[in-house]
Amino acid sequence: NAGVTQTPKFRVLKTGQSMTLLCAQDMNHEYMYWYRQDPGMGLRLIHYSVGEGTTAKGEVPDGYNVSRLKKQNFLLGLESAAPSQTSVYFCAARQGMPNQPQHFGDGTRLSIL
Amino acid sequence: AQTVTQSQPEMSVQEAETVTLSCTYDTSESDYYLFWYKQPPSRQMILVIRQEAYKQQNATENRFSVNFQKAAKSFSLKISDSQLGDAAMYFCAYRSAGRDDKIIFGKGTRLHILP
């Protein structure tokens, strides 16, 4: 039972490079989210999606883009990585019923040099 | 805008004792959901317990229970009979019941269990 799978688990980039983080879920959940977690800051919402083909901005969207072309996948892109984007990134998914909790992936540790 | 505050950055409790983690939130909404998540050193985010604001009864899950005070906008987590495996970062989270699906997390409380 995979649940939410994030790829890759670790990555080191140089400033200015681009990359895409992949989140895949096998639970057929409607909602998907991308968070970043920084020391002392808790989790902050970057972007989210309420269904296939839709995306919306969260609390800290600048410098990131997302796409949800397929229901099971939610991609997070960094077009030109900056050291301030060094963080641990979490993806989550949840069912459409509002009282349902989010199910999280194991996180991706991203370092920008 | 909604905010979630966890005023205790770190706490310690003796094994087998009871500990309470505090969480307060600010909202003008009447219908919402509250959650406690646990993040052990493995970095996984694990749901501990959830509470629906329209329910007056406090949620309970085995050794974990909440004290939900809607008027005071308080949502504390009580862990009874603390175990070494309870050592983790605990996050309180708020989610609106409306169309805005944004979820707000507190900054977390790191819980240490003393053997």
Side-chain angles (χ1 to χ4, degrees):
Chain A
N1 188 8
V4 178
T5 303
Q6 292 183 229
T7 309
K9 296 192 184 305
F10 304 95
R11 187 73 184 269
V12 178
L13 291 179
K14 294 182 179 178
T15 298
Q17 286 185 316
S18 64
M19 82 160 295
T20 300
L21 306 184
L22 170 63
C23 178
Q25 54 112 349
D26 62 2
M27 300 174 289
N28 202 36
H29 286 351
E30 289 296 326
Y31 295 78
M32 296 188 75
Y33 311 80
W34 275 108
Y35 293 90
R36 59 178 290 172
Q37 183 178 25
D38 302 294
M41 296 296 292
L43 278 77
R44 293 183 292 170
L45 183 64
I46 304 172
H47 287 280
Y48 64 102
S49 169
V50 300
E52 181 179 323
T54 71
T55 62
K57 293 181 179 180
E59 183 184 357
V60 288
D62 294 342
Y64 304 95
N65 57 74
V66 289
S67 65
R68 183 109 180 260
L69 298 179
K70 294 183 179 180
K71 187 177 182 179
Q72 64 267 35
N73 295 336
F74 194 31
L75 279 63
L76 177 71
L78 286 73
E79 289 189 349
S80 180
S84 61
Q85 293 177 305
T86 293
S87 188
V88 178
Y89 291 85
F90 284 95
C91 177
R94 77 170 181 90
Q95 291 180 349
M97 295 296 290
N99 67 339
Q100 293 300 305
Q102 296 174 310
H103 300 275
F104 286 83
D106 290 340
T108 295
R109 182 174 295 278
L110 184 61
S111 296
I112 316 296
L113 304 179
Chain B
Q2 293 87 5
T3 58
V4 176
T5 302
Q6 293 179 247
S7 59
Q8 306 147 317
E10 286 194 64
M11 293 189 72
S12 296
V13 63
Q14 208 74 35
E15 192 176 3
E17 296 294 311
T18 295
V19 63
T20 299
L21 310 183
S22 65
C23 173
T24 58
Y25 55 94
D26 187 26
T27 184
S28 59
E29 299 174 328
S30 59
D31 198 13
Y32 48 86
Y33 302 92
L34 298 165
F35 304 87
W36 277 99
Y37 282 90
K38 169 185 177 181
Q39 187 179 42
S42 65
R43 208 170 65 192
Q44 287 182 300
M45 290 288 288
I46 303 165
L47 176 70
V48 176
I49 200 165
R50 59 181 152 175
Q51 175 81 41
E52 290 136 333
Y54 64 85
K55 289 186 178 179
Q56 293 190 345
Q57 186 173 7
N58 289 326
T60 300
E61 289 287 342
N62 300 315
R63 296 183 295 107
F64 299 87
S65 61
V66 299
N67 183 5
F68 173 49
Q69 301 289 329
K70 190 172 184 179
K73 297 179 183 175
S74 172
F75 182 60
S76 60
L77 174 69
K78 185 171 83 171
I79 306 173
S80 303
D81 186 24
S82 298
Q83 300 175 0
L84 294 177
D86 295 333
M89 184 75 92
Y90 287 82
F91 293 98
C92 178
Y94 168 103
R95 187 171 82 223
S96 170
R99 292 191 56 169
D100 183 353
D101 198 55
K102 296 180 182 180
I103 300 173
I104 309 298
F105 282 83
K107 294 183 178 181
T109 296
R110 184 170 298 282
L111 178 65
H112 303 278
I113 309 296
L114 306 174

